Amino acid sequence: TFIEGSITDLDLLMQTFPGADGISHQAAIPSVPRLASNEANVTGTVSVLVAAKDCGVPAVVAASSSSVYGDTPSSGHDRPYSTLIVQW
């Protein structure tokens, strides 16, 4: 089932997640000003984790790329990708 919406919409997540065996969270906004990306990348991830826990979803897998390090001289592009696995 495809559901169009935002990961920052906690009400939508709470309607969508019940009964799920797990959540694969891949949403992100790369290479944009920090304030714009924080809404999706930080607030959205917290919303996914809160909704998953409150809906009884047993696990969340979230992946990230080197974009989290920003565009700085030591930007982290030489660092490996990271994965977060959360189980309650």
Side-chain angles (χ1 to χ4, degrees):
T1 303
F2 177 79
I3 298 168
E4 186 173 346
S6 171
I7 62 168
T8 62
D9 185 345
L10 186 57
D11 290 335
L12 176 64
L13 300 178
M14 295 294 290
Q15 294 170 18
T16 306
F17 286 4
D21 294 326
I23 303 296
S24 175
H25 166 36
Q26 307 298 312
I29 299 177
S31 303
V32 294
R34 186 172 303 214
L35 220 48
S37 65
N38 275 358
E39 181 68 13
N41 298 344
V42 178
T43 305
T45 297
V46 169
S47 295
V48 167
L49 293 172
V50 167
K53 186 168 188 336
D54 289 354
C55 291
V57 177
V60 175
V61 176
S64 179
S65 72
S66 61
S67 292
V68 299
Y69 299 108
D71 192 16
T72 63
S74 93
S75 63
H77 292 290
D78 58 338
R79 297 180 190 161
Y81 298 109
S82 58
T83 302
L84 167 70
I85 300 173
V86 179
Q87 292 184 302
W88 320 114

